[in-house]
Amino acid sequence: MAEIRTIAVIGAGTMGRGIAHVAALGGYRTILEDLLPNALRRAESEIRTNLEKAVELGKVSAGDAQAATGRLEYAGSVEGAAREADLVIEAVPEELESKIEIFTLLDKVCRPGTILASNTSSLSITEIAGVTYRASKCVGMHFFNPVHKMRLIEIVRASQTDDETIAAAVEVGKRLGKEIVVIKESPGFITSRINAMIGNEAFYMLGEGIASAEDIDKALKLGLNHPMGPFELVDLVGLDTRLHILTYLHQTLGEKYRPAPLLIEYVEAGRLGRKTGRGVYEYPEKK
C-alpha cells in the first residue's frame, strides 16, 4: 500500500480549509492551495480559530493544535502545492469542467505514484479520472461540512480504481478520525442522492404553500430526528451547490430529481445561503 506522508488540498474554500485542518491534525504534512491570497489568509485564520476553540472545549490538546498548525503550509499555485504530495485532494466548486481541468493539470505535475482524490459530492469519478494517465490511482473522498466535526467520509471506487488506492484512502480517513464507507461509483453516491431528494421535495412543498420553511424544518427535526432541517442544511451547503447536484442527478437518474422551480428561482436571485447572507433564511451578520 502506498505510504502517505504529504497531502495537498486544492482549493481553500469551506471544504478545502476543513480538509486541510483535519489532515494537519491527523499528522500529515499538509499544503493548502488557492490562487486567491485572500482565500488563503481567511483559511489560515479560520483553521487557527477552530483549533483554538477545540482546545478550549477540551477536544484537542494545546500541543496537538500547535503541532497541526506547524504542519500546515500554504501555496498560491497547483504546481507548488502538488509537486511533492503523495495524495492530492481536489476541493474546488462542484462543477465537472473545473474538476476535469484540475485533474488534467495534476496528472502533469504530480509524481507517477501520487493518488488523486476528488471531494465531489455527486459527480463521476470515472469521468474525472478519464482525463489522466493514472485512472487506477484516482478515487473519490467525499468529506462533509463542517469537516472538523462531521465523522463520515464516503470513499468512492471508480471503474478503474485499484485496491491499493482504496486501501490508502481508507487508511488516511481513519487516521483523520473519520468513519468510512466504501461504495461503487453511482451518481450522488449514498448521501447526496438521498439528501438531494429530501431537500428538493422540501422546496416543492414550500413552493406549493403546504407549510412554512420553519415548520418543514421543525417537522423533520422533531418527527424524523434529523439534526438539521432541509432548509437549514441547504443554507449551510449552498443553494447553488445543491442545484448543481440536482441538475446532474436529473440528467443521470431521471425525472424524479428535476430541481424544484423555487430552488432555481432562489439561485437566480443570488439567494445562495449563509455565504451570501440570504438563502431560504436571512443571515444579516453575513451580508
Side-chain angles (χ1 to χ4, degrees):
M1 184 176 68
E3 183 178 6
I4 307 298
R5 295 180 178 178
T6 299
I7 296 176
V9 182
I10 307 302
T14 300
M15 296 305 296
R17 55 184 179 258
I19 295 168
H21 171 144
V22 297
L25 197 58
Y28 294 101
R29 177 194 176 200
T30 305
I31 307 168
L32 179 59
E33 179 276 341
D34 204 286
L35 296 176
L36 302 176
N38 283 343
L40 289 176
R41 284 193 291 269
R42 181 179 176 186
E44 183 174 10
S45 175
E46 184 172 303
I47 292 170
R48 286 182 181 274
T49 298
N50 287 336
L51 285 170
E52 289 168 1
K53 189 176 296 184
V55 172
E56 291 174 9
L57 295 173
K59 295 182 177 180
V60 175
S61 71
D64 286 346
Q66 185 175 7
T69 301
R71 284 189 286 267
L72 271 166
E73 303 172 28
Y74 300 88
S77 70
V78 173
E79 296 92 329
R83 190 178 299 113
E84 298 179 9
D86 305 302
L87 167 65
V88 182
I89 304 174
E90 164 274 309
V92 303
E94 190 73 354
E95 298 169 355
L96 184 61
E97 294 79 7
S98 298
K99 294 179 183 294
I100 284 176
E101 183 179 349
I102 292 294
F103 266 63
T104 301
L105 178 56
L106 289 173
D107 195 41
K108 294 176 181 177
V109 302
C110 291
R111 300 194 303 264
T114 298
I115 294 172
L116 307 183
S118 175
N119 180 53
T120 179
S121 57
S122 64
L123 301 175
S124 170
I125 305 298
T126 298
E127 187 171 355
I128 295 169
V131 302
T132 76
Y133 290 97
R134 64 180 84 202
S136 65
K137 298 297 178 188
C138 296
V139 66
M141 293 185 72
H142 179 206
F143 292 79
F144 294 80
N145 184 30
V147 179
H148 64 290
K149 294 181 179 180
M150 298 295 282
R151 296 174 60 198
L152 182 67
I153 301 177
E154 288 181 318
I155 303 294
V156 184
R157 182 192 291 272
S159 63
Q160 295 187 56
T161 309
D162 62 26
D163 291 342
E164 184 181 24
T165 298
I166 294 293
V170 168
E171 177 61 28
V172 168
K174 289 180 177 178
R175 188 166 160 185
L176 302 188
K178 304 299 185 184
E179 297 288 337
I180 307 297
V181 295
V182 179
I183 62 175
K184 176 184 175 183
E185 179 180 305
S186 177
F189 315 141
I190 298 172
T191 55
S192 293
R193 184 166 171 174
I194 293 174
N195 200 41
M197 180 168 283
I198 293 172
N200 200 39
E201 187 63 26
F203 269 103
Y204 274 113
M205 294 173 70
L206 183 62
E208 293 165 12
I210 292 173
S212 68
E214 291 84 355
D215 281 350
I216 293 171
D217 276 350
K218 182 187 290 186
L220 267 70
K221 287 190 289 185
L222 300 183
L224 300 181
N225 205 28
H226 289 196
M228 298 179 71
F231 297 124
E232 293 171 331
L233 181 58
V234 77
D235 274 1
L236 178 64
V237 171
L239 277 72
D240 52 338
T241 300
R242 174 61 57 76
L243 181 57
H244 279 304
I245 292 169
L246 278 165
T247 300
Y248 177 70
L249 293 177
H250 182 221
Q251 292 169 349
T252 54
L253 296 177
E255 196 62 23
K256 63 183 177 180
Y257 288 98
R258 178 180 292 276
L262 186 61
L263 171 60
I264 297 171
E265 179 183 322
Y266 279 9
V267 171
E268 289 177 346
R271 295 174 60 168
L272 307 184
R274 287 180 176 272
K275 59 189 174 185
T276 59
R278 190 183 187 199
V280 179
Y281 300 114
E282 300 241 0
Y283 307 90
E285 73 282 0
K286 293 287 186 178
K287 289 188 177 180

